[in-house]
Amino acid sequence: MYVSVRKNLIEFLRVCAARKFKVAPSSWFCKDSGDLRRLIRTPEDMARIWNVTFEIIRAEGLLHMLLFVDLCNEWPGISCAPFFVNQPPELI
Protein backbone atom coordinates (compact mmCIF):
# COMPACT_ATOMS: atom_id res chain seq x y z
CA MET A 1 0.00 0.00 0.00
CA TYR A 2 1.27 3.48 -0.83
CA VAL A 3 0.14 6.58 1.00
CA SER A 4 0.75 10.21 0.09
CA VAL A 5 1.51 11.51 3.57
CA ARG A 6 1.87 15.17 2.56
CA LYS A 7 -1.35 15.23 0.56
CA ASN A 8 -3.30 13.49 3.31
CA LEU A 9 -1.83 15.67 6.05
CA ILE A 10 -2.91 18.84 4.25
CA GLU A 11 -6.36 17.40 3.53
CA PHE A 12 -6.74 16.43 7.19
CA LEU A 13 -5.68 19.90 8.36
CA ARG A 14 -8.16 21.55 5.97
CA VAL A 15 -11.01 19.39 7.27
CA CYS A 16 -10.03 20.24 10.86
CA ALA A 17 -9.83 23.95 10.00
CA ALA A 18 -13.33 23.85 8.52
CA ARG A 19 -14.57 22.41 11.81
CA LYS A 20 -12.44 24.81 13.90
CA PHE A 21 -10.40 21.98 15.46
CA LYS A 22 -6.74 22.42 16.39
CA VAL A 23 -4.35 19.50 15.96
CA ALA A 24 -1.33 18.20 17.84
CA PRO A 25 0.85 16.27 15.39
CA SER A 26 3.13 13.57 16.75
CA SER A 27 5.91 11.45 15.27
CA TRP A 28 5.62 7.73 15.74
CA PHE A 29 8.27 6.71 13.21
CA CYS A 30 6.54 3.48 12.30
CA LYS A 31 8.49 1.09 10.12
CA ASP A 32 7.88 1.58 6.41
CA SER A 33 9.07 -0.51 3.46
CA GLY A 34 12.40 1.33 3.37
CA ASP A 35 12.70 1.66 7.15
CA LEU A 36 13.50 5.34 6.59
CA ARG A 37 13.33 6.06 10.31
CA ARG A 38 16.80 4.50 10.53
CA LEU A 39 18.16 7.53 8.61
CA ILE A 40 17.54 9.69 11.69
CA ARG A 41 20.88 9.79 13.45
CA THR A 42 21.13 13.18 15.16
CA PRO A 43 18.99 15.89 16.76
CA GLU A 44 19.73 17.91 13.62
CA ASP A 45 18.13 15.18 11.49
CA MET A 46 15.02 15.34 13.67
CA ALA A 47 14.92 19.14 13.46
CA ARG A 48 15.32 19.05 9.67
CA ILE A 49 12.42 16.61 9.30
CA TRP A 50 10.11 18.73 11.44
CA ASN A 51 11.22 21.97 9.75
CA VAL A 52 10.32 20.52 6.35
CA THR A 53 6.95 19.44 7.73
CA PHE A 54 6.28 22.88 9.22
CA GLU A 55 7.23 24.53 5.92
CA ILE A 56 4.78 22.33 4.00
CA ILE A 57 2.02 23.23 6.45
CA ARG A 58 2.98 26.94 6.40
CA ALA A 59 2.98 27.01 2.57
CA GLU A 60 -0.63 25.81 2.66
CA GLY A 61 -1.58 28.54 5.15
CA LEU A 62 -2.39 26.01 7.86
CA LEU A 63 0.32 26.57 10.45
CA HIS A 64 -2.23 28.22 12.75
CA MET A 65 -3.90 24.80 13.06
CA LEU A 66 -1.14 23.42 15.28
CA LEU A 67 -1.92 23.48 18.98
CA PHE A 68 1.38 21.84 19.97
CA VAL A 69 3.79 19.28 18.50
CA ASP A 70 4.93 16.00 20.04
CA LEU A 71 8.33 15.69 18.36
CA CYS A 72 8.67 11.97 19.10
CA ASN A 73 5.98 9.96 20.82
CA GLU A 74 7.11 7.63 23.60
CA TRP A 75 10.66 9.02 23.63
CA PRO A 76 12.99 7.19 23.86
CA GLY A 77 11.03 3.97 23.44
CA ILE A 78 12.45 1.44 21.01
CA SER A 79 9.21 1.09 19.02
CA CYS A 80 8.79 4.83 18.37
CA ALA A 81 12.44 5.90 18.32
CA PRO A 82 14.55 2.90 17.24
CA PHE A 83 17.18 5.29 15.92
CA PHE A 84 18.02 6.40 19.48
CA VAL A 85 21.00 4.22 20.39
CA ASN A 86 22.01 5.74 23.72
CA GLN A 87 19.21 4.14 25.74
CA PRO A 88 19.19 4.74 29.48
CA PRO A 89 20.08 1.48 31.32
CA GLU A 90 16.55 1.06 32.70
CA LEU A 91 15.17 0.86 29.14
CA ILE A 92 17.53 -1.81 27.83
Side-chain angles (χ1 to χ4, degrees), residues 9-45:
L9 172 62
I10 297 305
E11 181 180 338
F12 173 74
L13 290 174
R14 286 187 178 135
V15 168
C16 289
R19 290 167 175 77
K20 302 196 184 322
F21 293 150
K22 296 282 187 175
V23 299
S26 178
S27 294
W28 286 65
F29 296 107
C30 297
K31 187 174 183 176
D32 59 22
S33 60
D35 205 11
L36 297 177
R37 63 193 179 165
R38 295 283 181 181
L39 299 176
I40 303 167
R41 301 265 192 245
T42 66
E44 291 80 11
D45 291 339

PDB file of all heavy atoms in Angstrom, residues 9-45:
ATOM      1  N   LEU A   9      -2.001  14.761   4.922  1.00  0.00           N
ATOM      2  CA  LEU A   9      -1.831  15.667   6.055  1.00  0.00           C
ATOM      3  C   LEU A   9      -2.522  16.991   5.776  1.00  0.00           C
ATOM      4  O   LEU A   9      -3.290  17.496   6.613  1.00  0.00           O
ATOM      5  CB  LEU A   9      -0.348  15.895   6.345  1.00  0.00           C
ATOM      6  CG  LEU A   9      -0.041  16.969   7.397  1.00  0.00           C
ATOM      7  CD1 LEU A   9      -0.621  16.593   8.755  1.00  0.00           C
ATOM      8  CD2 LEU A   9       1.456  17.205   7.477  1.00  0.00           C
ATOM      9  N   ILE A  10      -2.294  17.553   4.600  1.00  0.00           N
ATOM     10  CA  ILE A  10      -2.914  18.839   4.247  1.00  0.00           C
ATOM     11  C   ILE A  10      -4.431  18.705   4.175  1.00  0.00           C
ATOM     12  O   ILE A  10      -5.166  19.562   4.668  1.00  0.00           O
ATOM     13  CB  ILE A  10      -2.328  19.388   2.931  1.00  0.00           C
ATOM     14  CG1 ILE A  10      -0.823  19.674   3.100  1.00  0.00           C
ATOM     15  CG2 ILE A  10      -3.085  20.611   2.459  1.00  0.00           C
ATOM     16  CD1 ILE A  10      -0.472  20.597   4.251  1.00  0.00           C
ATOM     17  N   GLU A  11      -4.907  17.622   3.589  1.00  0.00           N
ATOM     18  CA  GLU A  11      -6.356  17.397   3.525  1.00  0.00           C
ATOM     19  C   GLU A  11      -6.949  17.303   4.933  1.00  0.00           C
ATOM     20  O   GLU A  11      -7.985  17.898   5.228  1.00  0.00           O
ATOM     21  CB  GLU A  11      -6.657  16.128   2.742  1.00  0.00           C
ATOM     22  CG  GLU A  11      -8.133  15.836   2.614  1.00  0.00           C
ATOM     23  CD  GLU A  11      -8.409  14.561   1.832  1.00  0.00           C
ATOM     24  OE1 GLU A  11      -7.541  14.125   1.047  1.00  0.00           O
ATOM     25  OE2 GLU A  11      -9.505  13.998   2.022  1.00  0.00           O
ATOM     26  N   PHE A  12      -6.284  16.572   5.815  1.00  0.00           N
ATOM     27  CA  PHE A  12      -6.737  16.434   7.193  1.00  0.00           C
ATOM     28  C   PHE A  12      -6.777  17.796   7.894  1.00  0.00           C
ATOM     29  O   PHE A  12      -7.755  18.138   8.572  1.00  0.00           O
ATOM     30  CB  PHE A  12      -5.812  15.470   7.943  1.00  0.00           C
ATOM     31  CG  PHE A  12      -6.089  15.384   9.411  1.00  0.00           C
ATOM     32  CD1 PHE A  12      -7.203  14.710   9.892  1.00  0.00           C
ATOM     33  CD2 PHE A  12      -5.227  15.973  10.323  1.00  0.00           C
ATOM     34  CE1 PHE A  12      -7.463  14.628  11.251  1.00  0.00           C
ATOM     35  CE2 PHE A  12      -5.468  15.892  11.684  1.00  0.00           C
ATOM     36  CZ  PHE A  12      -6.595  15.224  12.147  1.00  0.00           C
ATOM     37  N   LEU A  13      -5.718  18.580   7.724  1.00  0.00           N
ATOM     38  CA  LEU A  13      -5.677  19.903   8.358  1.00  0.00           C
ATOM     39  C   LEU A  13      -6.783  20.816   7.831  1.00  0.00           C
ATOM     40  O   LEU A  13      -7.375  21.582   8.591  1.00  0.00           O
ATOM     41  CB  LEU A  13      -4.307  20.549   8.164  1.00  0.00           C
ATOM     42  CG  LEU A  13      -3.159  19.905   8.937  1.00  0.00           C
ATOM     43  CD1 LEU A  13      -1.828  20.531   8.543  1.00  0.00           C
ATOM     44  CD2 LEU A  13      -3.381  19.988  10.434  1.00  0.00           C
ATOM     45  N   ARG A  14      -7.078  20.730   6.542  1.00  0.00           N
ATOM     46  CA  ARG A  14      -8.164  21.545   5.966  1.00  0.00           C
ATOM     47  C   ARG A  14      -9.525  21.150   6.544  1.00  0.00           C
ATOM     48  O   ARG A  14     -10.351  22.007   6.853  1.00  0.00           O
ATOM     49  CB  ARG A  14      -8.164  21.430   4.454  1.00  0.00           C
ATOM     50  CG  ARG A  14      -7.042  22.187   3.819  1.00  0.00           C
ATOM     51  CD  ARG A  14      -7.151  22.195   2.310  1.00  0.00           C
ATOM     52  NE  ARG A  14      -6.068  22.978   1.756  1.00  0.00           N
ATOM     53  CZ  ARG A  14      -5.332  22.620   0.720  1.00  0.00           C
ATOM     54  NH1 ARG A  14      -5.589  21.483   0.089  1.00  0.00           N
ATOM     55  NH2 ARG A  14      -4.359  23.387   0.285  1.00  0.00           N
ATOM     56  N   VAL A  15      -9.751  19.857   6.687  1.00  0.00           N
ATOM     57  CA  VAL A  15     -11.007  19.387   7.270  1.00  0.00           C
ATOM     58  C   VAL A  15     -11.117  19.869   8.718  1.00  0.00           C
ATOM     59  O   VAL A  15     -12.169  20.346   9.146  1.00  0.00           O
ATOM     60  CB  VAL A  15     -11.122  17.846   7.176  1.00  0.00           C
ATOM     61  CG1 VAL A  15     -12.272  17.315   8.019  1.00  0.00           C
ATOM     62  CG2 VAL A  15     -11.283  17.411   5.725  1.00  0.00           C
ATOM     63  N   CYS A  16     -10.030  19.770   9.463  1.00  0.00           N
ATOM     64  CA  CYS A  16     -10.027  20.243  10.857  1.00  0.00           C
ATOM     65  C   CYS A  16     -10.268  21.744  10.922  1.00  0.00           C
ATOM     66  O   CYS A  16     -11.021  22.222  11.781  1.00  0.00           O
ATOM     67  CB  CYS A  16      -8.713  19.887  11.537  1.00  0.00           C
ATOM     68  SG  CYS A  16      -8.531  18.131  11.861  1.00  0.00           S
ATOM     69  N   ALA A  17      -9.655  22.493  10.026  1.00  0.00           N
ATOM     70  CA  ALA A  17      -9.829  23.955  10.000  1.00  0.00           C
ATOM     71  C   ALA A  17     -11.290  24.309   9.744  1.00  0.00           C
ATOM     72  O   ALA A  17     -11.836  25.219  10.380  1.00  0.00           O
ATOM     73  CB  ALA A  17      -8.930  24.581   8.931  1.00  0.00           C
ATOM     74  N   ALA A  18     -11.921  23.586   8.837  1.00  0.00           N
ATOM     75  CA  ALA A  18     -13.328  23.846   8.521  1.00  0.00           C
ATOM     76  C   ALA A  18     -14.225  23.608   9.729  1.00  0.00           C
ATOM     77  O   ALA A  18     -15.269  24.243   9.871  1.00  0.00           O
ATOM     78  CB  ALA A  18     -13.774  22.966   7.354  1.00  0.00           C
ATOM     79  N   ARG A  19     -13.792  22.729  10.615  1.00  0.00           N
ATOM     80  CA  ARG A  19     -14.574  22.414  11.808  1.00  0.00           C
ATOM     81  C   ARG A  19     -14.048  23.132  13.058  1.00  0.00           C
ATOM     82  O   ARG A  19     -14.501  22.880  14.162  1.00  0.00           O
ATOM     83  CB  ARG A  19     -14.578  20.903  12.032  1.00  0.00           C
ATOM     84  CG  ARG A  19     -15.408  20.191  10.980  1.00  0.00           C
ATOM     85  CD  ARG A  19     -15.164  18.689  10.995  1.00  0.00           C
ATOM     86  NE  ARG A  19     -16.025  17.981  10.087  1.00  0.00           N
ATOM     87  CZ  ARG A  19     -15.867  17.918   8.765  1.00  0.00           C
ATOM     88  NH1 ARG A  19     -14.881  18.555   8.192  1.00  0.00           N
ATOM     89  NH2 ARG A  19     -16.702  17.239   8.015  1.00  0.00           N
ATOM     90  N   LYS A  20     -13.043  24.008  12.830  1.00  0.00           N
ATOM     91  CA  LYS A  20     -12.443  24.810  13.901  1.00  0.00           C
ATOM     92  C   LYS A  20     -11.782  23.958  14.983  1.00  0.00           C
ATOM     93  O   LYS A  20     -11.788  24.291  16.158  1.00  0.00           O
ATOM     94  CB  LYS A  20     -13.453  25.774  14.496  1.00  0.00           C
ATOM     95  CG  LYS A  20     -14.046  26.716  13.455  1.00  0.00           C
ATOM     96  CD  LYS A  20     -14.727  27.884  14.080  1.00  0.00           C
ATOM     97  CE  LYS A  20     -15.420  28.792  13.102  1.00  0.00           C
ATOM     98  NZ  LYS A  20     -14.834  29.049  11.847  1.00  0.00           N
ATOM     99  N   PHE A  21     -11.186  22.832  14.554  1.00  0.00           N
ATOM    100  CA  PHE A  21     -10.403  21.985  15.460  1.00  0.00           C
ATOM    101  C   PHE A  21      -8.936  22.360  15.326  1.00  0.00           C
ATOM    102  O   PHE A  21      -8.460  22.645  14.230  1.00  0.00           O
ATOM    103  CB  PHE A  21     -10.513  20.498  15.092  1.00  0.00           C
ATOM    104  CG  PHE A  21     -11.863  19.903  15.280  1.00  0.00           C
ATOM    105  CD1 PHE A  21     -12.278  18.864  14.459  1.00  0.00           C
ATOM    106  CD2 PHE A  21     -12.728  20.334  16.256  1.00  0.00           C
ATOM    107  CE1 PHE A  21     -13.518  18.279  14.620  1.00  0.00           C
ATOM    108  CE2 PHE A  21     -13.968  19.755  16.437  1.00  0.00           C
ATOM    109  CZ  PHE A  21     -14.368  18.722  15.611  1.00  0.00           C
ATOM    110  N   LYS A  22      -8.202  22.306  16.414  1.00  0.00           N
ATOM    111  CA  LYS A  22      -6.742  22.420  16.386  1.00  0.00           C
ATOM    112  C   LYS A  22      -6.187  20.997  16.425  1.00  0.00           C
ATOM    113  O   LYS A  22      -6.848  20.067  16.872  1.00  0.00           O
ATOM    114  CB  LYS A  22      -6.229  23.199  17.599  1.00  0.00           C
ATOM    115  CG  LYS A  22      -6.681  24.637  17.636  1.00  0.00           C
ATOM    116  CD  LYS A  22      -5.856  25.457  16.690  1.00  0.00           C
ATOM    117  CE  LYS A  22      -6.195  26.935  16.859  1.00  0.00           C
ATOM    118  NZ  LYS A  22      -5.343  27.778  16.065  1.00  0.00           N
ATOM    119  N   VAL A  23      -4.961  20.832  15.962  1.00  0.00           N
ATOM    120  CA  VAL A  23      -4.353  19.503  15.956  1.00  0.00           C
ATOM    121  C   VAL A  23      -3.017  19.528  16.690  1.00  0.00           C
ATOM    122  O   VAL A  23      -2.384  20.570  16.831  1.00  0.00           O
ATOM    123  CB  VAL A  23      -4.152  18.973  14.519  1.00  0.00           C
ATOM    124  CG1 VAL A  23      -5.481  18.849  13.791  1.00  0.00           C
ATOM    125  CG2 VAL A  23      -3.212  19.846  13.747  1.00  0.00           C
ATOM    126  N   ALA A  24      -2.611  18.372  17.159  1.00  0.00           N
ATOM    127  CA  ALA A  24      -1.328  18.195  17.840  1.00  0.00           C
ATOM    128  C   ALA A  24      -0.585  17.042  17.162  1.00  0.00           C
ATOM    129  O   ALA A  24      -0.714  15.887  17.563  1.00  0.00           O
ATOM    130  CB  ALA A  24      -1.546  17.906  19.318  1.00  0.00           C
ATOM    131  N   PRO A  25       0.151  17.342  16.100  1.00  0.00           N
ATOM    132  CA  PRO A  25       0.852  16.266  15.393  1.00  0.00           C
ATOM    133  C   PRO A  25       1.921  15.613  16.271  1.00  0.00           C
ATOM    134  O   PRO A  25       2.500  16.246  17.146  1.00  0.00           O
ATOM    135  CB  PRO A  25       1.475  16.963  14.186  1.00  0.00           C
ATOM    136  CG  PRO A  25       1.457  18.409  14.490  1.00  0.00           C
ATOM    137  CD  PRO A  25       0.394  18.645  15.505  1.00  0.00           C
ATOM    138  N   SER A  26       2.151  14.352  15.997  1.00  0.00           N
ATOM    139  CA  SER A  26       3.129  13.571  16.752  1.00  0.00           C
ATOM    140  C   SER A  26       3.856  12.628  15.805  1.00  0.00           C
ATOM    141  O   SER A  26       3.265  12.109  14.870  1.00  0.00           O
ATOM    142  CB  SER A  26       2.410  12.761  17.830  1.00  0.00           C
ATOM    143  OG  SER A  26       3.314  11.961  18.540  1.00  0.00           O
ATOM    144  N   SER A  27       5.132  12.414  16.056  1.00  0.00           N
ATOM    145  CA  SER A  27       5.913  11.453  15.274  1.00  0.00           C
ATOM    146  C   SER A  27       5.890  10.103  15.970  1.00  0.00           C
ATOM    147  O   SER A  27       6.172  10.012  17.160  1.00  0.00           O
ATOM    148  CB  SER A  27       7.370  11.907  15.158  1.00  0.00           C
ATOM    149  OG  SER A  27       7.455  13.085  14.421  1.00  0.00           O
ATOM    150  N   TRP A  28       5.581   9.093  15.202  1.00  0.00           N
ATOM    151  CA  TRP A  28       5.622   7.730  15.738  1.00  0.00           C
ATOM    152  C   TRP A  28       6.720   6.926  15.073  1.00  0.00           C
ATOM    153  O   TRP A  28       7.137   5.907  15.570  1.00  0.00           O
ATOM    154  CB  TRP A  28       4.265   7.051  15.552  1.00  0.00           C
ATOM    155  CG  TRP A  28       3.243   7.565  16.497  1.00  0.00           C
ATOM    156  CD1 TRP A  28       2.747   8.841  16.531  1.00  0.00           C
ATOM    157  CD2 TRP A  28       2.617   6.866  17.552  1.00  0.00           C
ATOM    158  NE1 TRP A  28       1.827   8.954  17.543  1.00  0.00           N
ATOM    159  CE2 TRP A  28       1.729   7.747  18.189  1.00  0.00           C
ATOM    160  CE3 TRP A  28       2.713   5.567  18.015  1.00  0.00           C
ATOM    161  CZ2 TRP A  28       0.950   7.375  19.264  1.00  0.00           C
ATOM    162  CZ3 TRP A  28       1.930   5.187  19.093  1.00  0.00           C
ATOM    163  CH2 TRP A  28       1.057   6.095  19.700  1.00  0.00           C
ATOM    164  N   PHE A  29       7.179   7.360  13.927  1.00  0.00           N
ATOM    165  CA  PHE A  29       8.271   6.714  13.208  1.00  0.00           C
ATOM    166  C   PHE A  29       8.040   5.208  13.065  1.00  0.00           C
ATOM    167  O   PHE A  29       8.877   4.381  13.400  1.00  0.00           O
ATOM    168  CB  PHE A  29       9.624   7.018  13.864  1.00  0.00           C
ATOM    169  CG  PHE A  29       9.956   8.477  13.810  1.00  0.00           C
ATOM    170  CD1 PHE A  29       9.883   9.254  14.950  1.00  0.00           C
ATOM    171  CD2 PHE A  29      10.299   9.080  12.611  1.00  0.00           C
ATOM    172  CE1 PHE A  29      10.173  10.608  14.911  1.00  0.00           C
ATOM    173  CE2 PHE A  29      10.585  10.435  12.553  1.00  0.00           C
ATOM    174  CZ  PHE A  29      10.520  11.194  13.705  1.00  0.00           C
ATOM    175  N   CYS A  30       6.861   4.879  12.559  1.00  0.00           N
ATOM    176  CA  CYS A  30       6.540   3.476  12.296  1.00  0.00           C
ATOM    177  C   CYS A  30       7.406   2.963  11.147  1.00  0.00           C
ATOM    178  O   CYS A  30       7.798   3.718  10.256  1.00  0.00           O
ATOM    179  CB  CYS A  30       5.069   3.341  11.917  1.00  0.00           C
ATOM    180  SG  CYS A  30       3.966   3.836  13.244  1.00  0.00           S
ATOM    181  N   LYS A  31       7.667   1.695  11.161  1.00  0.00           N
ATOM    182  CA  LYS A  31       8.490   1.094  10.121  1.00  0.00           C
ATOM    183  C   LYS A  31       7.746   1.130   8.792  1.00  0.00           C
ATOM    184  O   LYS A  31       6.590   0.752   8.706  1.00  0.00           O
ATOM    185  CB  LYS A  31       8.844  -0.344  10.492  1.00  0.00           C
ATOM    186  CG  LYS A  31       9.823  -0.968   9.532  1.00  0.00           C
ATOM    187  CD  LYS A  31      10.266  -2.333  10.017  1.00  0.00           C
ATOM    188  CE  LYS A  31      11.292  -2.893   9.060  1.00  0.00           C
ATOM    189  NZ  LYS A  31      11.815  -4.175   9.535  1.00  0.00           N
ATOM    190  N   ASP A  32       8.436   1.612   7.757  1.00  0.00           N
ATOM    191  CA  ASP A  32       7.882   1.577   6.410  1.00  0.00           C
ATOM    192  C   ASP A  32       8.724   0.622   5.575  1.00  0.00           C
ATOM    193  O   ASP A  32       9.660   0.000   6.089  1.00  0.00           O
ATOM    194  CB  ASP A  32       7.824   2.985   5.793  1.00  0.00           C
ATOM    195  CG  ASP A  32       9.184   3.658   5.707  1.00  0.00           C
ATOM    196  OD1 ASP A  32      10.214   2.952   5.715  1.00  0.00           O
ATOM    197  OD2 ASP A  32       9.222   4.886   5.640  1.00  0.00           O
ATOM    198  N   SER A  33       8.389   0.480   4.300  1.00  0.00           N
ATOM    199  CA  SER A  33       9.065  -0.509   3.462  1.00  0.00           C
ATOM    200  C   SER A  33      10.562  -0.254   3.342  1.00  0.00           C
ATOM    201  O   SER A  33      11.341  -1.188   3.181  1.00  0.00           O
ATOM    202  CB  SER A  33       8.421  -0.567   2.074  1.00  0.00           C
ATOM    203  OG  SER A  33       8.510   0.700   1.452  1.00  0.00           O
ATOM    204  N   GLY A  34      10.979   1.016   3.438  1.00  0.00           N
ATOM    205  CA  GLY A  34      12.403   1.327   3.365  1.00  0.00           C
ATOM    206  C   GLY A  34      13.041   1.550   4.724  1.00  0.00           C
ATOM    207  O   GLY A  34      14.234   1.826   4.809  1.00  0.00           O
ATOM    208  N   ASP A  35      12.259   1.406   5.781  1.00  0.00           N
ATOM    209  CA  ASP A  35      12.699   1.660   7.155  1.00  0.00           C
ATOM    210  C   ASP A  35      13.468   2.986   7.240  1.00  0.00           C
ATOM    211  O   ASP A  35      14.556   3.070   7.803  1.00  0.00           O
ATOM    212  CB  ASP A  35      13.529   0.502   7.702  1.00  0.00           C
ATOM    213  CG  ASP A  35      13.478   0.428   9.222  1.00  0.00           C
ATOM    214  OD1 ASP A  35      12.648   1.139   9.833  1.00  0.00           O
ATOM    215  OD2 ASP A  35      14.269  -0.329   9.813  1.00  0.00           O
ATOM    216  N   LEU A  36      12.859   4.027   6.668  1.00  0.00           N
ATOM    217  CA  LEU A  36      13.502   5.337   6.586  1.00  0.00           C
ATOM    218  C   LEU A  36      13.783   5.965   7.946  1.00  0.00           C
ATOM    219  O   LEU A  36      14.654   6.818   8.062  1.00  0.00           O
ATOM    220  CB  LEU A  36      12.659   6.282   5.725  1.00  0.00           C
ATOM    221  CG  LEU A  36      12.508   5.857   4.269  1.00  0.00           C
ATOM    222  CD1 LEU A  36      11.590   6.819   3.528  1.00  0.00           C
ATOM    223  CD2 LEU A  36      13.854   5.762   3.589  1.00  0.00           C
ATOM    224  N   ARG A  37      13.089   5.525   8.971  1.00  0.00           N
ATOM    225  CA  ARG A  37      13.330   6.059  10.310  1.00  0.00           C
ATOM    226  C   ARG A  37      14.764   5.811  10.743  1.00  0.00           C
ATOM    227  O   ARG A  37      15.305   6.524  11.575  1.00  0.00           O
ATOM    228  CB  ARG A  37      12.358   5.446  11.305  1.00  0.00           C
ATOM    229  CG  ARG A  37      12.531   3.948  11.444  1.00  0.00           C
ATOM    230  CD  ARG A  37      11.407   3.294  12.169  1.00  0.00           C
ATOM    231  NE  ARG A  37      11.647   1.857  12.244  1.00  0.00           N
ATOM    232  CZ  ARG A  37      11.006   1.066  13.039  1.00  0.00           C
ATOM    233  NH1 ARG A  37      10.074   1.546  13.834  1.00  0.00           N
ATOM    234  NH2 ARG A  37      11.256  -0.215  13.057  1.00  0.00           N
ATOM    235  N   ARG A  38      15.402   4.808  10.184  1.00  0.00           N
ATOM    236  CA  ARG A  38      16.798   4.498  10.528  1.00  0.00           C
ATOM    237  C   ARG A  38      17.772   5.558   9.995  1.00  0.00           C
ATOM    238  O   ARG A  38      18.936   5.565  10.382  1.00  0.00           O
ATOM    239  CB  ARG A  38      17.192   3.130   9.981  1.00  0.00           C
ATOM    240  CG  ARG A  38      16.422   1.997  10.604  1.00  0.00           C
ATOM    241  CD  ARG A  38      16.967   1.716  11.960  1.00  0.00           C
ATOM    242  NE  ARG A  38      16.220   0.585  12.554  1.00  0.00           N
ATOM    243  CZ  ARG A  38      16.460   0.122  13.734  1.00  0.00           C
ATOM    244  NH1 ARG A  38      17.400   0.643  14.474  1.00  0.00           N
ATOM    245  NH2 ARG A  38      15.758  -0.860  14.210  1.00  0.00           N
ATOM    246  N   LEU A  39      17.307   6.449   9.121  1.00  0.00           N
ATOM    247  CA  LEU A  39      18.159   7.526   8.615  1.00  0.00           C
ATOM    248  C   LEU A  39      18.284   8.675   9.606  1.00  0.00           C
ATOM    249  O   LEU A  39      19.109   9.561   9.429  1.00  0.00           O
ATOM    250  CB  LEU A  39      17.613   8.049   7.277  1.00  0.00           C
ATOM    251  CG  LEU A  39      17.550   7.023   6.142  1.00  0.00           C
ATOM    252  CD1 LEU A  39      16.913   7.648   4.905  1.00  0.00           C
ATOM    253  CD2 LEU A  39      18.930   6.467   5.832  1.00  0.00           C
ATOM    254  N   ILE A  40      17.472   8.664  10.651  1.00  0.00           N
ATOM    255  CA  ILE A  40      17.540   9.695  11.686  1.00  0.00           C
ATOM    256  C   ILE A  40      18.662   9.304  12.637  1.00  0.00           C
ATOM    257  O   ILE A  40      18.579   8.298  13.331  1.00  0.00           O
ATOM    258  CB  ILE A  40      16.204   9.815  12.447  1.00  0.00           C
ATOM    259  CG1 ILE A  40      15.070  10.111  11.480  1.00  0.00           C
ATOM    260  CG2 ILE A  40      16.298  10.884  13.529  1.00  0.00           C
ATOM    261  CD1 ILE A  40      13.694   9.941  12.088  1.00  0.00           C
ATOM    262  N   ARG A  41      19.709  10.110  12.643  1.00  0.00           N
ATOM    263  CA  ARG A  41      20.879   9.786  13.451  1.00  0.00           C
ATOM    264  C   ARG A  41      21.189  10.854  14.510  1.00  0.00           C
ATOM    265  O   ARG A  41      21.854  10.565  15.484  1.00  0.00           O
ATOM    266  CB  ARG A  41      22.110   9.637  12.553  1.00  0.00           C
ATOM    267  CG  ARG A  41      21.971   8.572  11.511  1.00  0.00           C
ATOM    268  CD  ARG A  41      22.591   7.295  12.019  1.00  0.00           C
ATOM    269  NE  ARG A  41      22.713   6.342  10.938  1.00  0.00           N
ATOM    270  CZ  ARG A  41      22.063   5.200  10.901  1.00  0.00           C
ATOM    271  NH1 ARG A  41      21.238   4.883  11.865  1.00  0.00           N
ATOM    272  NH2 ARG A  41      22.218   4.366   9.905  1.00  0.00           N
ATOM    273  N   THR A  42      20.740  12.071  14.286  1.00  0.00           N
ATOM    274  CA  THR A  42      21.132  13.176  15.160  1.00  0.00           C
ATOM    275  C   THR A  42      19.926  14.063  15.475  1.00  0.00           C
ATOM    276  O   THR A  42      18.906  14.009  14.774  1.00  0.00           O
ATOM    277  CB  THR A  42      22.196  14.065  14.473  1.00  0.00           C
ATOM    278  OG1 THR A  42      21.590  14.708  13.333  1.00  0.00           O
ATOM    279  CG2 THR A  42      23.405  13.252  14.027  1.00  0.00           C
ATOM    280  N   PRO A  43      20.038  14.903  16.501  1.00  0.00           N
ATOM    281  CA  PRO A  43      18.987  15.886  16.755  1.00  0.00           C
ATOM    282  C   PRO A  43      18.781  16.808  15.550  1.00  0.00           C
ATOM    283  O   PRO A  43      17.660  17.227  15.274  1.00  0.00           O
ATOM    284  CB  PRO A  43      19.505  16.666  17.963  1.00  0.00           C
ATOM    285  CG  PRO A  43      20.449  15.744  18.645  1.00  0.00           C
ATOM    286  CD  PRO A  43      21.079  14.930  17.541  1.00  0.00           C
ATOM    287  N   GLU A  44      19.844  17.072  14.820  1.00  0.00           N
ATOM    288  CA  GLU A  44      19.729  17.912  13.620  1.00  0.00           C
ATOM    289  C   GLU A  44      18.871  17.247  12.553  1.00  0.00           C
ATOM    290  O   GLU A  44      18.112  17.919  11.850  1.00  0.00           O
ATOM    291  CB  GLU A  44      21.126  18.257  13.069  1.00  0.00           C
ATOM    292  CG  GLU A  44      21.918  19.189  13.947  1.00  0.00           C
ATOM    293  CD  GLU A  44      22.594  18.516  15.146  1.00  0.00           C
ATOM    294  OE1 GLU A  44      22.636  17.260  15.211  1.00  0.00           O
ATOM    295  OE2 GLU A  44      23.058  19.243  16.038  1.00  0.00           O
ATOM    296  N   ASP A  45      18.990  15.927  12.433  1.00  0.00           N
ATOM    297  CA  ASP A  45      18.130  15.185  11.492  1.00  0.00           C
ATOM    298  C   ASP A  45      16.662  15.346  11.883  1.00  0.00           C
ATOM    299  O   ASP A  45      15.803  15.599  11.029  1.00  0.00           O
ATOM    300  CB  ASP A  45      18.475  13.690  11.478  1.00  0.00           C
ATOM    301  CG  ASP A  45      19.820  13.380  10.865  1.00  0.00           C
ATOM    302  OD1 ASP A  45      20.346  14.202  10.094  1.00  0.00           O
ATOM    303  OD2 ASP A  45      20.352  12.291  11.168  1.00  0.00           O
TER     304      ASP A  45
END
